[in-house]
Amino acid sequence: MTEQASGAHHPQPRARQSGGPQSAAVEHVTGAQSLIRSLEEVGADTVFGIPGGAILPAYDPMMDSSKVRHVLVRHEQGAGHAATGYAQATGRVGVCMATSGPGATNLVTPIADAHMDSVPLVAITGQVASKAIGTDAFQEADICGITMPITKHNFLVTDPAEIPRTIAEAFHIAATGRPGPVLVDIAKDALQAQTTFTWPPHTELPGYRPVTKPHAKQIREAARLIAESKRPVLYVGGGVMKAGATAELKVLAELTGAPVTTTLMALGAFPDSHPQHVGMPGMHGAVTAVTALQKSDLLITLGARFDDRVTGKLDSFAPYAKVVHADIDPAEIGKNRAADVPIVGDAREVIADLIVAVQAEHDAGHKGDYTAWWKDLNRWRDTYPLGYDLPEDGSLSPQQVIERIGQLAPADTIYAAGVGQHQMWAAHFIGYEQPSTWLNSGGAGTMGYAVPAAMGAKAGQPDRTVWAIDGDGCFQMTNQELVTCALNNIPIKVAIINNGALGMVRQWQTLFYNERYSNTVLHSGPEANGLVTAGKASGGTRVPDFVKLSEAMGCVAMRCEDPAELDAVIAKANAINDRPVVIDFIVHEDAQVWPMVAAGTSNDEVMAARGVRPDFGDNGED
């Protein structure tokens, strides 16, 4: 259910590609000073990182900068996810920094994550001295070679004079076209050497020319198909969000009257409450959204990439539909599904031109009649709404916990989710009315994303409430960043949806592996003998005790097990804004995510609930 964002991001850097010095007198500085000055000039105000030997020269001048705030994280993976959360919440380029060797390799996961979800990120790493490169020197790793498949571009800098130009180019590449991560690896001797600094630098990117303006003929053809279609669907991906095209999308949707489905990466691009919104598609998508795509005769695909989690078995996906596919990345068009009308361009410009072209069709008397289509859609929506059952034993329902967090939070709250069941429940049971309020790891599915991403979002948007919706498995991967939050006045709120298991994997074991729960129970080891239940070891000890753990890291911590206490606990968390807050919600372990399309099967096989196969009226129902 994920889309790589593929629209143009409005760039943060101030460097001009045409280059040519404009004013400033030449300054004599070290390479490290040049690096910090360059970061100031491109507008980077926050860097998440950890110092170490090779990058240490850069940390000395950073101490003197009044424009760049450094947040000392506890693990480089946390730095990378925090930079991603910052970028997703603010629309600016996120920046992380690490030393050579293991410091750099600990950034690989968040760089891969940002690459899959097209997040503008610049990762700056120290490298061993240039003469030692290739000698297996202490803490040496070929991070450029390692990250080549998962970066939009990367640089190795051994000449200090190249630092300003490289930083300007890195930020430009990360933020423009289809956004993505860029790595800048700088040799230690380049940071230590004397050089000169001028700004803006002359940048040279002869092979980098993203096409943003769509072809007029393709736009007219798309508008014609929209007017002629009987069952169109606006299939909206994260590229619309990256392009800042959500206002234009609403105009286009209301002009056409077509249903809108927003992927996991596009939640909030179109208001969930809008009557034309039919939900999120995909493996765990809403029945109406999944079915709308299957029965459609025209997909207007905007900034989406026909990801396998959306399409299910590809050759049976949307079998009756012609495809209009608009994307800023020409490599995406035709990659998974042939496009009848391919459109290369920035989503904002594409949608703006489509509005004009569709209006021209209407003025010429060509307007689609979707009355019968909406009759079907509304019947499916009324018959198969999203919902859940409360546990019969009176314990907490995870869906109810997440739903109440969404209902009780301020209107502009930002939510960051980990990966698994809680991620899907947060996608379903929180209403997203605004763009950039839903942050998650879509393409990579990175456990441990939520806490550091929430930290980055809160650092970038300090006046907004930020909730991390996390699972007990995800939380145990990166919870140490709560120390970072506590020490740096970054008061996020964390909801641990604690079912004592790796929930989504356990759900698959329930459905497909005959309830053989191999290594998915988190509260007991291989010697489990039945004495450990509901997240407790025998004698009532919790391993770990998330309340004690969170308090030890400087947070306010609470536990909630009783549905009667749910609202009061959430309200208390919302009222605390001077420290991080963690709530350990003990929820029923057998709750499952529905709807569901089993992996490798057709979306026609969607199940509304366990054992409930929808009837779409294909056998005579009107």
Side-chain angles (χ1 to χ4, degrees), residues 190-523:
L191 291 171
Q192 293 171 317
Q194 289 292 315
T195 184
T196 57
F197 176 82
T198 58
W199 196 272
H202 178 70
T203 58
E204 296 180 6
L205 296 167
Y208 183 66
R209 295 284 187 275
V211 175
T212 59
K213 185 68 177 173
H215 196 289
K217 180 183 177 183
Q218 302 299 86
I219 292 288
R220 289 195 300 271
E221 180 65 12
R224 183 185 67 81
L225 288 179
I226 292 170
E228 290 178 353
S229 66
K230 301 295 184 185
R231 301 185 306 281
V233 176
L234 285 161
Y235 164 24
V236 176
V240 170
M241 197 93 74
K242 292 293 192 296
T246 56
E248 289 82 356
L249 172 65
K250 189 167 184 284
V251 172
L252 177 65
E254 292 177 348
L255 177 64
T256 62
V260 179
T261 179
T262 49
T263 68
L264 183 68
M265 293 306 298
L267 296 181
F270 190 74
D272 277 1
S273 62
H274 196 288
Q276 285 173 246
H277 191 251
V278 295
M280 179 181 75
M283 173 178 277
H284 291 293
V287 169
T288 306
V290 172
T291 309
L293 293 174
Q294 287 302 97
K295 307 295 186 184
S296 172
D297 66 359
L298 178 67
L299 301 182
I300 305 109
T301 308
L302 305 169
R305 61 186 178 89
F306 293 91
D307 173 77
D308 63 288
R309 280 298 199 260
V310 166
T311 65
K313 188 179 179 184
L314 188 60
D315 60 11
S316 66
F317 174 69
Y320 316 111
K322 290 185 176 181
V323 172
V324 173
H325 191 181
D327 203 294
I328 200 163
D329 184 354
E332 286 298 344
I333 296 176
K335 185 178 81 174
N336 292 329
R337 172 70 176 255
D340 297 278
V341 182
I343 304 174
V344 177
D346 169 57
R348 191 172 187 178
E349 295 200 36
V350 169
I351 296 171
D353 287 358
L354 270 176
I355 290 167
V356 174
V358 169
Q359 187 61 59
E361 289 285 335
H362 291 183
D363 293 344
H366 306 141
K367 187 171 184 179
D369 179 2
Y370 311 144
T371 306
W373 183 219
W374 273 108
K375 185 179 179 182
D376 286 339
L377 293 166
N378 287 327
R379 184 178 71 248
W380 301 333
R381 189 154 55 179
D382 292 343
T383 307
Y384 305 106
L386 292 171
Y388 56 89
D389 295 322
L390 295 175
E392 294 180 0
D393 62 3
S395 58
L396 270 179
S397 155
Q399 300 98 319
Q400 183 184 23
V401 169
I402 293 168
E403 185 174 55
R404 292 303 290 160
I405 289 172
Q407 290 168 346
L408 295 172
D412 63 350
T413 295
I414 296 169
Y415 302 90
V419 169
Q421 289 182 314
H422 63 279
Q423 176 191 24
M424 295 297 100
W425 290 322
H428 282 316
F429 296 110
I430 295 174
Y432 301 98
E433 300 297 309
Q434 303 172 40
S436 303
T437 53
W438 164 249
L439 318 179
N440 83 126
S441 172
T446 307
M447 291 179 67
Y449 169 91
V451 169
M455 176 175 72
K458 183 67 174 176
Q461 298 278 16
D463 297 329
R464 307 265 297 270
T465 299
V466 179
W467 271 98
I469 310 293
D470 219 359
D472 47 332
C474 286
F475 182 73
Q476 291 184 70
M477 293 194 171
T478 52
N479 62 59
Q480 67 270 20
E481 299 310 334
L482 288 172
V483 175
T484 311
C485 293
L487 294 178
N488 288 276
N489 189 30
I490 304 175
I492 65 171
K493 307 180 195 304
V494 181
I496 305 172
I497 309 302
N498 185 356
N499 62 1
L502 298 171
M504 187 63 87
V505 187
R506 187 180 191 276
Q507 176 168 332
W508 281 47
Q509 288 173 331
T510 300
L511 298 175
F512 309 120
Y513 291 88
N514 299 316
E515 300 184 4
R516 288 166 54 84
Y517 300 120
S518 173
N519 289 281
T520 47
V521 177
L522 290 171
H523 49 63

Side-chain angles (χ1 to χ4, degrees), residues 30-176:
T30 65
Q33 289 171 319
S34 178
L35 171 63
I36 302 306
R37 285 295 311 278
S38 299
L39 289 174
E40 292 175 344
E41 290 292 340
V42 295
D45 59 13
T46 307
V47 175
F48 302 91
I50 303 180
I55 196 66
L56 195 58
Y59 272 78
D60 187 63
M62 186 150 43
M63 191 174 185
D64 299 325
S65 176
S66 60
K67 297 179 180 178
V68 178
R69 174 195 188 190
H70 182 272
V71 177
L72 176 62
V73 298
R74 266 50 194 171
H75 191 288
E76 290 89 356
Q77 182 179 354
H81 291 318
T84 293
Y86 173 96
Q88 290 177 312
T90 65
R92 300 193 292 271
V93 176
V95 187
C96 55
M97 189 176 286
T99 196
S100 62
T105 58
N106 279 343
L107 287 176
V108 168
T109 294
I111 289 171
D113 182 273
H115 181 67
M116 288 288 278
D117 288 345
S118 302
V119 178
L121 182 76
V122 170
I124 299 167
T125 53
Q127 184 53 276
V128 299
S130 53
K131 289 184 179 179
I133 292 175
T135 68
D136 291 333
F138 176 66
Q139 289 194 334
E140 181 189 0
D142 177 11
I143 195 62
C144 285
I146 290 167
T147 62
M148 189 174 291
I150 55 169
T151 49
K152 193 173 176 184
H153 192 64
N154 62 34
F155 300 87
L156 172 61
V157 181
T158 57
D159 180 354
E162 296 294 309
I163 289 173
R165 178 182 62 81
T166 303
I167 293 299
E169 290 178 355
F171 275 72
H172 178 71
I173 292 168
T176 56

